Amino acid sequence: MDHFTLIDGALHCEGVSLAKIAAEVGTPVYVYSAATLRRHAQVFREGLKPAGRIHLAYAIKANPNIGVLRVLADEGYGADVVSGGEMARALAAGMPAHDIVFSGVGKTDAELVKGLEAGIGQFNLELEEEGEVLAALAAARGLTAPAVLRVNPDVDAGTHAKISTGKRENKFGVPIDLAPAIFDRLGPLDGLNLRGIAIHIGSQLFDLAPLEAAYRRVGELVAELRARGHAITHVDLGGGLGVPYRPGDAPPPPADYGAMVARATAGWDVQLMFEPGRVIAGNAGVLLTEVIWVKPGVAHPYVIVDAAMNDLARPAMYDAWHDFAAVRPSGETMMANIAGPVCETGDTFAMAREIDRVVRGDLGIFRTAGAYGATMASTYNSRALVPEVLVDGDRYTVVADRIAAETILAAERVPDWL
């Protein structure tokens, strides 16, 4: 469920007209619903109640806007971060340092030190050498770094190849069969409290079976590590639950996921940690755009909108589907292609799709754009960086300014020797 609905024939976000936002902020623009963010955060937490002791760390990479983060901080969520920049955002949004989990395969020494100095709650180690470096950095400062080891269970999540992370050939984690020996070597190091295991097999998952299979492998590893004398108190089960992009999509509800987690982890006696991202933010946002032209085509007309692949990269990168809807639908439909103005054939949002009939100057939205939308935006073709708006009830505010091409140009320099 989201809070983008028709009121008097026009789409609103909660109590605010999208046409009003377009008139006052301009297009393209991302629009987020605070009510939807809150509801999704609450439903996810409620669904996991059967699992026992849980810690929720929102995956900031899905949508790092500081306004969004503040909403989730107020819901008691911590943060899963994958860079020093994301850690700074989490702290600025009021997420306590002890609720921050630092993931990612390429943490630099400087980032590890920032995490140590901030007192973050957990480092997710991706390789043995990272544990050695973290231990040394912590010990040199008289600190002990809480950490878990990310393992790769070699489970195919059945999702898009570019967002699959749990197969042996993926870059993440260590092979699960090597974990006991790595624990034996890292466990005694000063400066390191290696307290558990982390896992994340992929994103946009609709089938719980691969997750359950991976969790059962982790349960076997927990038992083996304890038998070798290691104290295992935390297991990070990652994120990855899918959201509906297409009509008819039916991802598993959090309650079904929670029931599976409770079943798969029974008897572990650990703090379970989760890193939801898309499932919280995906349907909480839309990309609002204006139709520039309806251009005749060979088979179908091209609806050229002012949003482009630099604003929403998922269709070009993943062949991803985002539903398109007119802000003021007439009830009529048309078969059309939808494309942006960027000089790439890949700047196409839909081909031969039945959509609301639109004409030049009409407003439309791409739905389910609250995750992996603005966060992946660029300034390709010297286009402005897209702004972001947060709606709460009958009020809204710009939570990220449009950064004009002229502003970006002003940050560049011509060498004095040219």
Side-chain angles (χ1 to χ4, degrees):
M1 176 184 173
D2 60 48
H3 290 76
F4 295 91
T5 56
L6 287 170
I7 300 175
D8 296 329
L11 275 172
H12 286 59
C13 176
E14 302 185 32
V16 179
S17 161
L18 292 181
K20 174 182 172 69
I21 292 174
E24 296 178 358
V25 181
T27 58
V29 56
Y30 279 95
V31 181
Y32 309 130
S33 161
T36 306
L37 290 166
R38 293 187 187 106
R39 180 179 181 276
H40 289 178
Q42 292 161 8
V43 168
F44 192 82
R45 183 190 299 279
E46 186 71 21
L48 283 167
K49 273 190 175 179
R53 290 180 289 141
I54 65 170
H55 176 270
L56 300 175
Y58 167 70
I60 284 187
K61 60 182 174 290
N63 186 325
N65 182 274
I66 195 168
V68 169
L69 299 186
R70 178 62 62 85
V71 171
L72 296 176
D74 288 346
E75 290 296 323
Y77 275 62
D80 168 55
V81 306
V82 295
S83 71
E86 287 190 349
M87 179 172 63
R89 283 179 172 271
L91 293 170
M95 293 171 165
H98 61 78
D99 283 336
I100 295 176
V101 175
F102 201 155
S103 303
V105 72
K107 309 179 199 70
T108 66
D109 286 13
E111 288 175 323
L112 293 174
V113 169
K114 283 184 179 179
L116 288 168
E117 292 177 345
I120 68 167
Q122 181 171 290
F123 295 86
N124 288 6
L125 304 178
E126 292 272 359
L127 68 161
E128 184 172 356
E129 187 177 3
E130 183 184 6
E132 295 168 350
V133 170
L134 178 61
L137 292 170
R141 290 161 175 78
L143 301 172
T144 299
V148 300
L149 179 66
R150 179 170 177 176
V151 298
N152 188 326
D154 197 24
V155 171
D156 187 351
T159 188
H160 193 285
K162 291 184 179 179
I163 51 177
S164 176
T165 59
K167 294 188 288 186
R168 180 171 290 273
E169 62 266 28
N170 296 139
K171 71 179 181 179
F172 300 98
V174 301
I176 196 167
D177 56 306
L178 301 183
I182 293 174
F183 259 80
D184 289 345
R185 292 189 289 269
L186 291 183
L189 295 181
D190 291 337
L192 191 67
N193 173 20
L194 190 57
R195 64 188 192 179
I197 294 295
I199 188 173
H200 177 68
I201 66 169
S203 186
Q204 187 55 8
L205 305 183
F206 274 31
D207 185 359
L208 294 179
L211 285 169
E212 186 163 8
Y215 295 170
R216 293 201 181 280
R217 295 204 68 188
V218 169
E220 294 167 359
L221 176 60
V222 168
E224 181 179 354
L225 291 171
R226 284 173 170 165
R228 296 168 80 114
H230 298 289
I232 304 300
T233 59
H234 292 69
V235 174
D236 188 333
L237 295 179
L241 282 192
V243 300
Y245 284 99
R246 296 171 177 260
D249 278 354
D256 289 0
Y257 175 60
M260 181 276 285
V261 170
R263 181 174 65 248
T265 65
W268 286 12
D269 188 27
V270 295
Q271 170 97 60
L272 293 174
M273 309 180 75
F274 300 88
E275 299 161 3
R278 188 193 315 260
V279 73
I280 304 295
N283 285 314
V286 301
L287 177 57
L288 177 59
T289 185
E290 182 177 334
V291 176
I292 304 174
W293 306 108
V294 178
K295 177 183 177 182
V298 174
H300 306 291
Y302 273 89
V303 174
I304 309 296
V305 296
D306 64 359
M309 63 184 287
N310 71 293
D311 305 307
L312 178 62
R314 294 188 70 255
M317 183 175 290
Y318 306 124
D319 295 320
W321 178 291
H322 286 268
D323 265 353
F324 178 83
V327 166
R328 190 173 288 276
S330 66
E332 298 181 28
T333 62
M334 62 191 295
M335 190 68 69
N337 310 317
I338 310 174
V342 158
C343 195
E344 295 275 354
T345 301
D347 183 24
T348 305
F349 295 104
M351 295 295 290
R353 188 184 298 182
E354 187 176 8
I355 62 170
D356 292 330
R357 182 170 295 280
V358 291
V359 299
R360 172 174 163 83
D362 281 352
L363 297 171
I365 61 167
F366 293 103
R367 294 187 181 273
T368 320
Y372 303 104
T375 185
M376 296 175 70
S378 74
T379 58
Y380 186 46
N381 278 194
S382 292
R383 286 169 52 85
L385 199 61
V386 65
E388 301 165 77
V389 162
L390 181 66
V391 176
D392 194 356
D394 60 358
R395 58 186 176 179
Y396 83 87
T397 191
V398 176
V399 289
D401 292 335
R402 190 184 310 278
I403 301 179
E406 293 80 7
T407 301
I408 298 164
L409 178 62
E412 300 178 16
R413 301 287 183 271
V414 176
D416 57 10
W417 38 265
L418 286 180

